[in-house]
């Protein structure tokens, strides 16, 4: 690869990085460009840590042979022991971190030490040269464990990487790392807003809906739920059991809502606020009721599993309502919440709190019941008329006919 080829490829990296090409595409097209310029990369990988509630990061791979590998793979946390941690600690990258170095080069086809299992695998597969890099982030540019871009490059060329090839890689890979970091930060932003704000609210924020006081007036089916006897459970259960219990039941509630097309807007202790929107209000109500059915089945399985493990169990109280709400940014200039507000939200909360009084796991408003399609509405029975705290007039409430459960 000539100096001119290197300069051309550097320009290409910058353009494609600005285009927002994802990490896997960047790696694949970069390797193809290298080969066109005479730098015969045979296999490459790059990975970067992330901010994600489950995964530590994501690894990207490319090769020039017929071996099928996933282009992108999320990897498990390496700070909690197990196979992932053991594999990491045997890697060239862990060695570089321990020594503080940034590069490890092994001409494995020409007598250099084969001192890592992955390098032995490369040699067994016919590779003649291997080089690994860590391009670290400095100071405040680190985000959590996201402290650099890691990459490895190998070739099957009979002469390995030439000196000119190594010089080119040392110039090109830092630029590629910066483009990968840019793509990763965009992905992290999307993950964070969805995890902490909800899927639809997160999307709206990333699209620029961040102005205080700007809210849409929408009609939505509203879900408010909390856990039965949660205060009593926290008083009697071991402290170490509380967070796992909340996580188990939150997973059940949130998954059920998402499966039915709803959006979770807020978690308040053991409580959950969610919305279901559709062009047809009847469809929004149908989806909310489907989420309740999903949760009922999921809770049954969860409770059987927790009872078998001698862990405390509970169920959910759910209030469903439909009405007009304001959906958008509410708060101060330096602390906003993207949520729903309005009398209908308060009413959904009051309906959920009535579940304890009438000993029913689900209550829906008369407005919700009337909006449902006839088939679903026929499954409801009245539990009576009640005065709801903070609501101007008494409300007829309904539940699923117990004989149909």
């Amino acid at each position: 690869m000539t100096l001119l080829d290197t300069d051309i490829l550097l320009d290409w990296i910058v353009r494609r990085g600005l285009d927002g090409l994802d990490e896997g595409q960047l790696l694949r097209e970069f390797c193809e460009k290298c080969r066109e310029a005479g730098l015969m990369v045979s296999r490459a990988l790059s990975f970067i840590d992330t901010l994600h509630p489950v995964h530590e990061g994501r690894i990207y791979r490319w090769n020039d042979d017929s071996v099928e590998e996933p282009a992108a793979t999320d990897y498990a946390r390496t700070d909690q022991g197990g196979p992932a941690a053991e594999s990491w600690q045997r890697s060239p990258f862990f060695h570089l971190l321990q020594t503080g170095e940034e590069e490890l080069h092994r001409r494995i086809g020409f007598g250099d030490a084969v001192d890592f299992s992955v390098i032995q695998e490369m040699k067994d597969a016919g590779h003649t040269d291997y080089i690994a890099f860590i391009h670290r982030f400095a100071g405040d540019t680190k985000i959590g464990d996201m402290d650099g871009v890691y990459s490895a490059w190998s070739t099957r060329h009979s002469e390995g990487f030439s000196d000119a090839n190594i010089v080119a890689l040392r110039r090109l890979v830092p630029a590629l790392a910066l483009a990968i970091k840019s793509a990763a930060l965009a992905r992290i932003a999307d993950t964070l807003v969805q995890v902490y704000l909800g899927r639809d609210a997160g999307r709206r924020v990333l699209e620029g809906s961040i102005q205080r006081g700007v809210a849409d007036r929408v009609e939505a089916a509203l879900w408010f739920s909390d856990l039965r006897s949660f205060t009593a459970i926290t008083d009697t259960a071991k402290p170490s059991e509380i967070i796992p219990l909340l996580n188990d039941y939150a997973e059940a509630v949130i998954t059920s809502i998402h499966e039915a097309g709803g959006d979770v807007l807020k978690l308040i202790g053991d409580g959950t606020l969610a919305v279901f929107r559709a062009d047809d209000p009847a469809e929004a109500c149908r989806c909310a009721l489907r989420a309740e059915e999903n949760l009922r089945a999921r809770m049954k399985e969860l409770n059987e599993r927790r009872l078998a493990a001698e862990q405390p169990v509970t169920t959910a109280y759910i209030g469903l309502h439909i009405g007009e709400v304001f959906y958008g940014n509410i708060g101060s200039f330096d602390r906003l919440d993207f949520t729903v507000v309005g009398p209908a939200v308060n009413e959904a909360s009051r309906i959920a709190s009535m579940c304890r009084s009438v000993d029913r796991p689900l209550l829906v408003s008369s407005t919700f019941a009337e909006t449902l399609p006839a088939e679903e509405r026929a499954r409801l029975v009245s539990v009576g008329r009640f005065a709801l705290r903070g609501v101007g007039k008494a409300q007829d409430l309904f539940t699923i006919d117990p004989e149909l459960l």
Side-chain angles (χ1 to χ4, degrees):
M1 177 178 278
T2 67
L3 288 176
L4 178 59
D5 290 330
T6 303
D7 289 340
I8 291 172
L9 194 44
L10 279 171
D11 289 341
W12 176 87
I13 294 169
V14 172
R15 290 197 308 273
R16 298 304 270 162
L18 291 172
D19 288 342
L21 208 64
D22 70 47
E23 301 95 312
Q25 288 179 290
L26 276 167
L27 182 64
R28 175 175 57 80
E29 293 188 15
F30 173 77
C31 291
E32 292 169 351
K33 291 285 184 183
C34 283
R35 290 176 64 85
E36 290 173 6
L39 202 170
M40 302 307 290
V41 175
S42 299
R43 187 179 180 92
L45 68 83
S46 179
F47 63 92
I48 185 170
D49 287 348
T50 188
L51 286 181
H52 192 280
V54 177
H55 308 119
E56 183 173 298
R58 182 171 291 181
I59 188 168
Y60 305 90
R61 295 182 176 87
W62 176 89
N63 66 76
D64 67 346
D65 55 30
S66 59
V67 176
E68 291 189 8
E69 291 182 308
T73 306
D74 294 316
Y75 53 87
R77 304 203 64 83
T78 58
D79 57 357
Q80 299 177 355
E86 294 170 5
S87 176
W88 168 244
Q89 291 166 10
R90 294 193 301 268
S91 72
F93 300 108
F94 185 78
H95 169 77
L96 289 175
L97 287 176
Q98 296 298 104
T99 61
E101 298 173 350
E102 295 185 349
E103 177 184 314
L104 183 144
H105 185 197
R106 296 289 187 269
R107 287 177 58 80
I108 51 180
F110 307 94
D112 277 7
V114 182
D115 44 358
F116 297 92
S117 58
V118 67
I119 297 179
Q120 183 64 59
E121 292 172 9
M122 294 294 98
K123 185 174 182 179
D124 293 343
H127 294 255
T128 59
D129 214 340
Y130 173 94
I131 187 166
F133 298 105
I134 297 179
H135 293 98
R136 293 176 172 86
F137 307 149
D140 293 339
T141 63
K142 298 178 183 178
I143 302 177
D145 292 330
M146 184 180 174
D147 58 357
V149 177
Y150 302 71
S151 65
W153 314 84
S154 62
T155 182
R156 293 189 183 88
H157 194 278
S158 60
E159 297 179 3
F161 290 127
S162 68
D163 291 344
N165 290 161
I166 295 297
V167 170
L169 283 172
R170 287 171 179 159
R171 285 192 65 200
L172 292 168
V173 176
L176 180 67
L178 188 59
I180 288 173
K181 178 185 179 182
S182 176
L185 287 174
R187 181 165 46 82
I188 286 172
D190 185 63
T191 297
L192 290 179
V193 296
Q194 288 198 39
V195 168
Y196 284 96
L197 299 180
R199 297 184 301 185
D200 183 64
R203 177 184 59 79
R204 288 169 179 254
V205 167
L206 285 181
E207 289 175 352
S209 298
I210 59 172
Q211 187 175 348
R212 185 175 78 137
V214 175
D216 294 328
R217 203 171 197 166
V218 301
E219 186 170 27
L222 302 163
W223 165 298
F224 197 96
S225 66
D226 58 12
L227 298 181
R228 182 172 187 166
S229 303
F230 179 70
T231 301
I233 292 172
T234 58
D235 287 340
T236 57
K238 299 175 183 177
S240 60
E241 293 180 329
I242 303 304
I243 298 302
L245 179 143
L246 277 173
N247 284 340
D248 279 351
Y249 286 98
E251 176 71 21
V253 172
I254 294 168
T255 302
S256 299
I257 290 169
H258 283 172
E259 285 180 351
D263 282 296
V264 175
L265 294 181
K266 195 176 291 294
L267 302 176
I268 313 163
D270 63 314
T272 304
L273 171 64
V275 295
F276 296 80
R277 297 179 59 204
D279 293 335
D280 179 6
E283 180 60 23
C285 291
R286 188 207 300 268
C287 290
L289 210 55
R290 187 183 309 130
E292 187 276 335
E293 294 171 359
N294 294 345
L295 178 59
R296 198 183 323 134
R298 191 167 271 112
M299 283 259 191
K300 181 180 179 182
E301 295 176 2
L302 173 59
N303 285 342
E304 289 173 355
R305 186 168 68 250
R306 289 182 61 87
L307 283 171
E310 298 183 345
Q311 297 171 323
V313 299
T314 184
T315 55
Y317 288 131
I318 303 168
L320 299 179
H321 183 42
I322 186 169
E324 193 174 75
V325 295
F326 290 101
Y327 182 41
N329 287 296
I330 297 149
S332 70
F333 286 109
D334 56 3
R335 179 61 175 92
L336 292 172
D337 193 9
F338 203 104
T339 189
V340 289
V341 295
V345 180
N346 297 332
E347 198 163 339
S349 173
R350 302 304 182 215
I351 292 169
S353 66
M354 283 299 301
C355 290
R356 294 173 177 80
S357 301
V358 298
D359 194 26
R360 291 288 185 273
L362 169 71
L363 290 175
V364 308
S365 68
S366 57
T367 308
F368 185 97
E370 291 164 2
T371 307
L372 277 170
E375 183 178 351
E376 277 80 8
R377 189 165 61 245
R379 299 171 56 211
L380 300 178
V381 294
S382 174
V383 296
R385 188 172 181 83
F386 300 90
L388 304 177
R389 185 165 60 89
V391 178
K393 60 180 181 180
Q395 170 82 253
D396 289 314
L397 299 179
F398 298 80
T399 192
I400 300 290
D401 187 338
E403 294 183 1
L404 301 177
L405 296 178

